[in-house]
Amino acid sequence: MSAASLFTDEHDALRESIRRFVLADVRPHASEWERARWFPDELFGQFAEHGFLGLKYPEAYGGQGGDFLHEAVLAEELALCGSGGVAAGIGAHINIATPPIAKFGTEDQKERYLRPAIAAEKISALAITEPDAGSDVAGLKTHAKRVDGGWVLNGSKMFITNGVRAHFWVTAAKTTAEGGHHGLSFFLVDRQDGVSASKIDKMGWHASDTALIALEDVFVPEENLLGGENQGFYLIMANFQWERLVMALGAVGAMQVAYDKTVAFAKERNAFGRPLSGFQALRHKLADIATTVHTSRVVTYDALERFVRTEGDAVKEVTMAKLATQRACFDVMDTCLQIHGGAGYMEEYEIERMARDARLGPIGGGTDEIMREILSKVLAL
Ligand SMILES: Cc1cc2nc3c(=O)[nH]c(=O)nc-3n(C[C@H](O)[C@H](O)[C@H](O)COP(=O)(O)OP(=O)(O)OC[C@H]3O[C@@H](n4cnc5c(N)ncnc54)[C@H](O)[C@@H]3O)c2cc1C
C-alpha cells in the first residue's frame, strides 16, 4: 500500500459526507460558540447520529466497524469546522479518551462506557496531566489507595479537555509508592461528589472546556480499573502514536483551510492598483505555504500508512509527522495573518483564531522538544 492509494473510494465518500455535515451543521455556529467559550453538549449527539463518534469501533458496541483510516478522514476534515475548540472537544472524546477502553476495557466496561460514548450518552475526557507533571508522566502524584471493593483516589489533574462537561474521566493514578513509570494504573472515574472541575481560560481553542480537576476521596469500584493494575504506563504509550497522528492530520487540514482562504483574499484585495497576489513578495509566500501544506500532508499520510500497516508501530515516522506539522501550522497561520494585513488581526476573518488555535500544536500531545527527544533515542543519536 502506498500513501497515494491509502484512501479507498469508501473513504472518499466518507470525506464528502463529513465535509457536508461539518459545513452545514457545525461551521455556521463556530463564531458564536467561540465567543461563548463553550459548544453545546448536544453537538456530540449530532456527530453520533451520523455515526461519527464510532467510525473505528466495532459494530458490536454501536460503532461503524471502520478502521483508523476512516477516523483519519474525520480528523482532517474537522479542520473545516472553523473552531479548534470544537475539533479538540470532539477529538478528545473519540481519539484519546475512548481508545484505551476499546483496547484494554473488559466487556462490562465497554458496555458501560464505550457504547454510551459512541452514542453520545456519555462524554469522556482523558486525565493524565497534573499541575506538576506533564511531559514527565513518571512524576504523576495522583494516588489510588486500595480499599474494600475498590480504590480511593486523591490528587489533581490539569489542562483536561472536556474536563468540565465529562460524564467520566479516564484517569491515571499511582497505585504503588514506587517511583518512575512503575505503579501507574488507569481508572474509569464517574462524575460524582469528590470530583470538582473548574474551567481554565486560555489563548485559543475557546469553544472547548479545559479543566483543572480536583479528586478528593473519590471511590472507584474494583470493576472500574482499566487495564491491569500497574500497567498504566503501557496504556499511555499505546495511544500516543494515534494521538500524534490525529494532531498532524488536524494541522494539515487547518493549513489547507488557511491557504485557500488567504489565496482568495490575496486575489480579491487590491493595493497599489493590483491584487495582492500580483506582488511577487506575497505570491512567493503563497507558493511557500502551498509547498508546506503539500509536504506536511505527504509526511503525515506516509506516517499514517506505516501506522496502519504495522498496527501502530511507526514511532519514528509518526513522531516526525507531529514535529514537522505543528510548528509549521502555526508559522503558516502567522504568514496568512500577515497577508490579510489589518483584517488578519480582526476576529471577522478568522485567521487570528486559527493562529491562536494552532499555537497549541507544538505543546499538546507531547511537545516539540519531547518529539526531538524521542527521535534522538530512535535514531540512536
Ligand atoms: C489546551 C490544552 C489541552 C490539553 N488537553 C489535555 C487532556 O485532555 N488530557 C491530558 O492529560 N493533558 C492535556 N493537556 C496537557 C498537555 O499534554 C501538556 O501540556 C503537555 O504534555 C506538556 O506538559 P506541561 O504543560 O506540563 O509542560 P512541561 O512538561 O512542564 O514542559 C515545559 C517545557 O519544558 C520542555 N521540556 C520538558 N521536558 C523536556 C526535556 N526532557 N527536554 C527538553 N525540553 C523539555 C517542554 O517541551 C516545554 O517546553 C492539554 C494541554 C493544553 C494546553
Side-chain angles (χ1 to χ4, degrees), residues 109 112 146-151 187 219-226 229:
Q109 288 170 343
R112 288 188 294 124
R146 224 182 214 300
V147 293
D148 197 23
W151 308 79
F187 298 91
F219 176 74
V220 178
E222 183 76 53
E223 59 270 23
N224 277 22
L225 172 72
L226 178 64
E229 187 177 343

Side-chain angles (χ1 to χ4, degrees), residues 87-109:
I90 299 289
H93 181 71
I94 56 185
N95 290 313
I96 59 175
T98 48
I101 309 173
K103 189 164 174 125
F104 298 98
T106 60
E107 278 309 307
D108 166 61
Q109 288 170 343

Side-chain angles (χ1 to χ4, degrees), residues 88 92 96 125-137 157-163 170 202 204-205 208-211 240 243-244 360 362-371 373:
I96 59 175
L126 178 73
I128 298 176
T129 307
E130 297 186 358
D132 294 323
S135 306
D136 181 13
V137 289
K157 294 289 168 183
M158 188 62 136
F159 307 144
I160 306 307
T161 305
N162 292 341
V170 180
K202 54 195 185 297
W205 286 19
S208 73
D209 53 309
T210 305
F240 259 159
E243 177 179 4
R244 288 166 187 167
L360 190 271
I363 300 169
T367 66
D368 278 6
E369 290 76 18
I370 295 301
M371 293 307 103
E373 280 300 287

Side-chain angles (χ1 to χ4, degrees), residues 315-352:
V315 175
K316 184 174 80 176
E317 291 80 9
V318 171
T319 307
M320 285 178 169
K322 168 132 193 326
L323 183 60
T325 51
Q326 304 304 304
R327 173 62 63 174
C329 183
F330 181 66
D331 289 346
V332 160
M333 297 309 167
D334 189 39
T335 307
C336 290
L337 193 155
Q338 185 70 17
I339 294 173
H340 276 74
Y345 202 69
M346 301 298 136
E347 286 185 12
E348 182 189 343
Y349 287 82
E350 295 181 9
I351 285 289
E352 61 84 34

Side-chain angles (χ1 to χ4, degrees), residues 274-333:
R274 65 172 100 156
L276 296 180
S277 55
F279 296 102
Q280 192 179 49
L282 299 190
R283 253 191 343 251
H284 283 192
K285 282 187 180 170
L286 291 170
D288 283 347
I289 294 173
T291 307
T292 303
V293 176
H294 178 69
T295 51
S296 297
R297 182 173 276 122
V298 169
V299 167
T300 300
Y301 282 7
D302 174 69
L304 176 61
E305 186 261 318
R306 289 169 193 267
F307 175 87
V308 171
R309 182 161 44 82
T310 61
E311 295 181 4
D313 185 21
V315 175
K316 184 174 80 176
E317 291 80 9
V318 171
T319 307
M320 285 178 169
K322 168 132 193 326
L323 183 60
T325 51
Q326 304 304 304
R327 173 62 63 174
C329 183
F330 181 66
D331 289 346
V332 160
M333 297 309 167

